Amino acid sequence: MANLQYELLTDPGQLQVSGAGKNEESPGTVHIVVSNPGDGFVEFRSLKVVVPYGAGEGALTVDPGRIKARLSRNTWQDAHLLTSHWDPATATFTLETSAVLLVDRGESLVVELNDFPVSPAEGLSRLSLKEVSTAGTKWHEYRVTLSVLKRAPKVPRNFRAERTLLAATENVVLRWDGPENLDYRIQDADGGLHPVQGQGTEWTWSPNPGDAPRRDATYTLIATPKAGQQPGYFLTTTVHLRTPEFEAVTATNGLHTPWAEGTVQHGRITFTDQGATILDQNQAPGTVSAADARVETVTATTGVHTPWVQGTAQPGRIALTGQGAQVLDRNQGAGTLSAGTVDAEAVIAAVLRGRDGDGGWIRFPSDGITVGHGSGSALGTVTADRVRVNGVNTPWVGDVDGGKGWIEFPQSGVNIRKDGTQTWGDVSADKADLNGVNTKWVQGPSASDGWIEFPAAGLNVFQGAGSRQWGTVAAATADLNDLTTDRARVKERLTLQGGLTVPDILETQDGPPRLIVHGRLDAEGEVHAGQSVVTGDLTAKGILRVFGESSFRGKVNANAHLSVRGGNAWIVHTNDGQVVVNGDLRVHGASRSDS
């Protein structure tokens, strides 16, 4: 026997199961009261509660993950030493202490397993408890079994409509769960009682054809025992109709509906933003019949048949003729038509005039229209967002503001003016496609941009800054017949395909290519000649080096040194008045020495 005492209570007092395959769940809660019934202390170490789960008759719940486990009503003095844990995977509740915990006699606590769905099969469920404690000096593990009984409900429940919002063609279907040992009747909205024959534990009922409700209806399920004098059970549910029918409707603050339709005769009144539309049973325009109709506006889609229409307060009249309609005043003379808008295929009139006596007017001469204003014949102004015409004949065109730019049309073309004056204006455009432009000068859009003028000789390019300072022409290629310039600077390479001539100084010639210098050629640096013959005098201010074979036909004067080299070694050179020969000296003629 365990040291602690265990008592099991359920909520509800009798746990009820749901039938297999039903959508409704039966919730349940189990309370396990743990207390010390003895005269002395009990030293407590741990407690485990294992809950059977599944769909069988021995299971308590089908879903242990839904169990909400907790401690409540705890009177243990050392309860702060307790820790609790619920493991849904194993359906196990564990209560442990972190130190020595003594439970005095009469102290108790409650383990709650809340809000779980009761398993669907009737039967006895047994919860397994394992207590580790001692009432003396030796620890023991005690096993305790607590049982709880699950039963099918003994009273009807879950009375509901299969669909609570019905269309006109849908019938009412009522469903409920309940035992077979009860007699069931359905009371309709009019008080009629309809017995229901036995159907097992799942029950349904529908009204007979023609008895379906025409408006929202509340049904009552009456269940009474088959024997004995026990009282019955009453459950109610309500269905709503999308298109209810009423014998009469009295609305003191208005009735909001998109349309109203008859029950026997199915004519319809549809309400629009403009008023109401009368429709027949085929939803086509219908007919309004009345002894007298007093309305502010009549809109008819198929017509109104009457010889004339006359006002009530003001007896103006519209007479309907074979040609159309006449507007008459109270004396049956020609009247005045006033309207916010007139939509007509054509208007035949000598003059159209604004309501104001000084307003504008339009006359219709044979060649078109004339727009004027005031009471005289002064021409007026046409104001429009856009005018689309085949042509406009006018001496000038200007902005609405008379002080802005304007265009006049002389015989030679167009003139652009500005500021409402005769001063020449500017033309601004993204692109201009012209056959020719006659202008004194052309400049970029900014005053600091370069500009071009067109003198008789050609064109001049100037910088934007300064006063007539020459500018720069930049181009990828310039194709010119002649180039006359004071000076020229080539940043990269200068290639001349036709030759170069500097009058009286130098020129180039073809076949074989050569450069002819008319005059003296002064080279401040080195002059290299691959295969050259010099006819005449050759004077070098610096060093003259000849690589390769050289032939001199005449004198060779060297004011300083003369050196003859062969390869990397020297052969003959002069030095301070001496001639030095490096190697053999052969003389094929006479040889003379002054010393």
Side-chain angles (χ1 to χ4, degrees), residues 132-149:
V132 178
S133 66
T134 180
T137 58
K138 188 176 181 180
W139 292 96
H140 293 279
E141 180 180 280
Y142 302 98
R143 297 183 180 271
V144 179
T145 299
L146 299 177
S147 300
V148 58
L149 189 63

PDB file of all heavy atoms in Angstrom, residues 132-149:
ATOM      1  N   VAL A 132       7.316   7.224  -5.508  1.00  0.00           N
ATOM      2  CA  VAL A 132       8.561   6.890  -4.805  1.00  0.00           C
ATOM      3  C   VAL A 132       8.575   7.722  -3.522  1.00  0.00           C
ATOM      4  O   VAL A 132       8.608   8.962  -3.582  1.00  0.00           O
ATOM      5  CB  VAL A 132       9.794   7.201  -5.682  1.00  0.00           C
ATOM      6  CG1 VAL A 132      11.069   6.898  -4.892  1.00  0.00           C
ATOM      7  CG2 VAL A 132       9.748   6.412  -6.977  1.00  0.00           C
ATOM      8  N   SER A 133       8.513   7.024  -2.352  1.00  0.00           N
ATOM      9  CA  SER A 133       8.437   7.728  -1.065  1.00  0.00           C
ATOM     10  C   SER A 133       8.868   6.791   0.051  1.00  0.00           C
ATOM     11  O   SER A 133       9.129   5.606  -0.169  1.00  0.00           O
ATOM     12  CB  SER A 133       7.004   8.221  -0.820  1.00  0.00           C
ATOM     13  OG  SER A 133       6.126   7.120  -0.669  1.00  0.00           O
ATOM     14  N   THR A 134       8.903   7.352   1.267  1.00  0.00           N
ATOM     15  CA  THR A 134       9.193   6.544   2.449  1.00  0.00           C
ATOM     16  C   THR A 134       8.512   7.174   3.651  1.00  0.00           C
ATOM     17  O   THR A 134       8.386   8.393   3.741  1.00  0.00           O
ATOM     18  CB  THR A 134      10.711   6.441   2.699  1.00  0.00           C
ATOM     19  OG1 THR A 134      10.917   5.642   3.878  1.00  0.00           O
ATOM     20  CG2 THR A 134      11.332   7.813   2.918  1.00  0.00           C
ATOM     21  N   ALA A 135       8.058   6.289   4.557  1.00  0.00           N
ATOM     22  CA  ALA A 135       7.493   6.757   5.821  1.00  0.00           C
ATOM     23  C   ALA A 135       8.398   6.361   6.980  1.00  0.00           C
ATOM     24  O   ALA A 135       8.022   6.518   8.143  1.00  0.00           O
ATOM     25  CB  ALA A 135       6.092   6.164   6.019  1.00  0.00           C
ATOM     26  N   GLY A 136       9.575   5.854   6.611  1.00  0.00           N
ATOM     27  CA  GLY A 136      10.523   5.447   7.662  1.00  0.00           C
ATOM     28  C   GLY A 136      11.930   5.775   7.215  1.00  0.00           C
ATOM     29  O   GLY A 136      12.278   6.927   6.977  1.00  0.00           O
ATOM     30  N   THR A 137      12.730   4.692   7.034  1.00  0.00           N
ATOM     31  CA  THR A 137      14.133   4.910   6.661  1.00  0.00           C
ATOM     32  C   THR A 137      14.464   4.336   5.293  1.00  0.00           C
ATOM     33  O   THR A 137      15.571   4.570   4.786  1.00  0.00           O
ATOM     34  CB  THR A 137      15.043   4.256   7.703  1.00  0.00           C
ATOM     35  OG1 THR A 137      14.751   2.851   7.781  1.00  0.00           O
ATOM     36  CG2 THR A 137      14.855   4.898   9.068  1.00  0.00           C
ATOM     37  N   LYS A 138      13.562   3.584   4.662  1.00  0.00           N
ATOM     38  CA  LYS A 138      13.848   2.912   3.398  1.00  0.00           C
ATOM     39  C   LYS A 138      12.887   3.411   2.315  1.00  0.00           C
ATOM     40  O   LYS A 138      11.683   3.486   2.536  1.00  0.00           O
ATOM     41  CB  LYS A 138      13.718   1.398   3.586  1.00  0.00           C
ATOM     42  CG  LYS A 138      14.177   0.617   2.367  1.00  0.00           C
ATOM     43  CD  LYS A 138      14.109  -0.885   2.641  1.00  0.00           C
ATOM     44  CE  LYS A 138      14.592  -1.675   1.431  1.00  0.00           C
ATOM     45  NZ  LYS A 138      14.538  -3.138   1.663  1.00  0.00           N
ATOM     46  N   TRP A 139      13.476   3.706   1.177  1.00  0.00           N
ATOM     47  CA  TRP A 139      12.653   4.185   0.052  1.00  0.00           C
ATOM     48  C   TRP A 139      11.978   3.010  -0.625  1.00  0.00           C
ATOM     49  O   TRP A 139      12.568   1.929  -0.785  1.00  0.00           O
ATOM     50  CB  TRP A 139      13.512   4.926  -0.985  1.00  0.00           C
ATOM     51  CG  TRP A 139      14.065   6.229  -0.470  1.00  0.00           C
ATOM     52  CD1 TRP A 139      15.294   6.440   0.067  1.00  0.00           C
ATOM     53  CD2 TRP A 139      13.375   7.469  -0.445  1.00  0.00           C
ATOM     54  NE1 TRP A 139      15.442   7.736   0.443  1.00  0.00           N
ATOM     55  CE2 TRP A 139      14.252   8.408   0.127  1.00  0.00           C
ATOM     56  CE3 TRP A 139      12.107   7.906  -0.826  1.00  0.00           C
ATOM     57  CZ2 TRP A 139      13.919   9.729   0.316  1.00  0.00           C
ATOM     58  CZ3 TRP A 139      11.782   9.212  -0.649  1.00  0.00           C
ATOM     59  CH2 TRP A 139      12.662  10.122  -0.086  1.00  0.00           C
ATOM     60  N   HIS A 140      10.706   3.269  -1.085  1.00  0.00           N
ATOM     61  CA  HIS A 140       9.940   2.252  -1.800  1.00  0.00           C
ATOM     62  C   HIS A 140       9.293   2.872  -3.029  1.00  0.00           C
ATOM     63  O   HIS A 140       8.984   4.064  -3.057  1.00  0.00           O
ATOM     64  CB  HIS A 140       8.834   1.652  -0.894  1.00  0.00           C
ATOM     65  CG  HIS A 140       9.371   0.862   0.256  1.00  0.00           C
ATOM     66  ND1 HIS A 140       9.787  -0.445   0.138  1.00  0.00           N
ATOM     67  CD2 HIS A 140       9.564   1.216   1.559  1.00  0.00           C
ATOM     68  CE1 HIS A 140      10.201  -0.873   1.311  1.00  0.00           C
ATOM     69  NE2 HIS A 140      10.086   0.115   2.208  1.00  0.00           N
ATOM     70  N   GLU A 141       9.083   1.991  -4.025  1.00  0.00           N
ATOM     71  CA  GLU A 141       8.349   2.397  -5.240  1.00  0.00           C
ATOM     72  C   GLU A 141       6.992   1.712  -5.203  1.00  0.00           C
ATOM     73  O   GLU A 141       6.895   0.485  -5.216  1.00  0.00           O
ATOM     74  CB  GLU A 141       9.122   1.992  -6.494  1.00  0.00           C
ATOM     75  CG  GLU A 141       8.410   2.392  -7.795  1.00  0.00           C
ATOM     76  CD  GLU A 141       9.192   1.986  -9.035  1.00  0.00           C
ATOM     77  OE1 GLU A 141      10.147   2.701  -9.393  1.00  0.00           O
ATOM     78  OE2 GLU A 141       8.854   0.932  -9.617  1.00  0.00           O
ATOM     79  N   TYR A 142       5.939   2.513  -5.138  1.00  0.00           N
ATOM     80  CA  TYR A 142       4.579   1.990  -5.032  1.00  0.00           C
ATOM     81  C   TYR A 142       3.846   2.234  -6.360  1.00  0.00           C
ATOM     82  O   TYR A 142       3.989   3.304  -6.980  1.00  0.00           O
ATOM     83  CB  TYR A 142       3.818   2.683  -3.896  1.00  0.00           C
ATOM     84  CG  TYR A 142       4.487   2.529  -2.539  1.00  0.00           C
ATOM     85  CD1 TYR A 142       5.301   3.535  -2.033  1.00  0.00           C
ATOM     86  CD2 TYR A 142       4.274   1.387  -1.772  1.00  0.00           C
ATOM     87  CE1 TYR A 142       5.907   3.409  -0.801  1.00  0.00           C
ATOM     88  CE2 TYR A 142       4.881   1.255  -0.524  1.00  0.00           C
ATOM     89  CZ  TYR A 142       5.701   2.258  -0.050  1.00  0.00           C
ATOM     90  OH  TYR A 142       6.305   2.131   1.168  1.00  0.00           O
ATOM     91  N   ARG A 143       3.068   1.245  -6.780  1.00  0.00           N
ATOM     92  CA  ARG A 143       2.287   1.354  -8.015  1.00  0.00           C
ATOM     93  C   ARG A 143       0.798   1.361  -7.674  1.00  0.00           C
ATOM     94  O   ARG A 143       0.334   0.508  -6.910  1.00  0.00           O
ATOM     95  CB  ARG A 143       2.606   0.224  -8.981  1.00  0.00           C
ATOM     96  CG  ARG A 143       4.064   0.259  -9.442  1.00  0.00           C
ATOM     97  CD  ARG A 143       4.373  -0.817 -10.473  1.00  0.00           C
ATOM     98  NE  ARG A 143       5.765  -0.758 -10.900  1.00  0.00           N
ATOM     99  CZ  ARG A 143       6.206  -0.016 -11.916  1.00  0.00           C
ATOM    100  NH1 ARG A 143       5.332   0.726 -12.587  1.00  0.00           N
ATOM    101  NH2 ARG A 143       7.487  -0.021 -12.235  1.00  0.00           N
ATOM    102  N   VAL A 144       0.114   2.344  -8.265  1.00  0.00           N
ATOM    103  CA  VAL A 144      -1.314   2.541  -7.983  1.00  0.00           C
ATOM    104  C   VAL A 144      -2.048   2.629  -9.315  1.00  0.00           C
ATOM    105  O   VAL A 144      -1.539   3.210 -10.285  1.00  0.00           O
ATOM    106  CB  VAL A 144      -1.549   3.829  -7.162  1.00  0.00           C
ATOM    107  CG1 VAL A 144      -3.038   4.026  -6.901  1.00  0.00           C
ATOM    108  CG2 VAL A 144      -0.777   3.757  -5.849  1.00  0.00           C
ATOM    109  N   THR A 145      -3.246   2.068  -9.395  1.00  0.00           N
ATOM    110  CA  THR A 145      -4.088   2.147 -10.592  1.00  0.00           C
ATOM    111  C   THR A 145      -5.376   2.872 -10.231  1.00  0.00           C
ATOM    112  O   THR A 145      -6.055   2.503  -9.265  1.00  0.00           O
ATOM    113  CB  THR A 145      -4.410   0.757 -11.146  1.00  0.00           C
ATOM    114  OG1 THR A 145      -3.191   0.105 -11.515  1.00  0.00           O
ATOM    115  CG2 THR A 145      -5.314   0.863 -12.368  1.00  0.00           C
ATOM    116  N   LEU A 146      -5.703   3.903 -11.036  1.00  0.00           N
ATOM    117  CA  LEU A 146      -6.963   4.637 -10.890  1.00  0.00           C
ATOM    118  C   LEU A 146      -7.800   4.399 -12.134  1.00  0.00           C
ATOM    119  O   LEU A 146      -7.284   4.457 -13.262  1.00  0.00           O
ATOM    120  CB  LEU A 146      -6.692   6.137 -10.718  1.00  0.00           C
ATOM    121  CG  LEU A 146      -5.865   6.536  -9.498  1.00  0.00           C
ATOM    122  CD1 LEU A 146      -5.632   8.057  -9.511  1.00  0.00           C
ATOM    123  CD2 LEU A 146      -6.564   6.117  -8.210  1.00  0.00           C
ATOM    124  N   SER A 147      -9.084   4.155 -11.960  1.00  0.00           N
ATOM    125  CA  SER A 147      -9.976   3.808 -13.067  1.00  0.00           C
ATOM    126  C   SER A 147     -11.032   4.878 -13.266  1.00  0.00           C
ATOM    127  O   SER A 147     -11.506   5.503 -12.299  1.00  0.00           O
ATOM    128  CB  SER A 147     -10.657   2.454 -12.800  1.00  0.00           C
ATOM    129  OG  SER A 147      -9.689   1.436 -12.656  1.00  0.00           O
ATOM    130  N   VAL A 148     -11.410   5.058 -14.542  1.00  0.00           N
ATOM    131  CA  VAL A 148     -12.470   5.997 -14.897  1.00  0.00           C
ATOM    132  C   VAL A 148     -13.317   5.347 -15.984  1.00  0.00           C
ATOM    133  O   VAL A 148     -12.799   4.681 -16.891  1.00  0.00           O
ATOM    134  CB  VAL A 148     -11.883   7.345 -15.373  1.00  0.00           C
ATOM    135  CG1 VAL A 148     -10.969   7.165 -16.575  1.00  0.00           C
ATOM    136  CG2 VAL A 148     -12.999   8.318 -15.703  1.00  0.00           C
ATOM    137  N   LEU A 149     -14.627   5.503 -15.873  1.00  0.00           N
ATOM    138  CA  LEU A 149     -15.566   4.861 -16.787  1.00  0.00           C
ATOM    139  C   LEU A 149     -16.065   5.869 -17.815  1.00  0.00           C
ATOM    140  O   LEU A 149     -16.413   6.994 -17.476  1.00  0.00           O
ATOM    141  CB  LEU A 149     -16.752   4.287 -16.002  1.00  0.00           C
ATOM    142  CG  LEU A 149     -17.716   3.395 -16.789  1.00  0.00           C
ATOM    143  CD1 LEU A 149     -17.005   2.148 -17.308  1.00  0.00           C
ATOM    144  CD2 LEU A 149     -18.914   3.006 -15.897  1.00  0.00           C
TER     145      LEU A 149
END
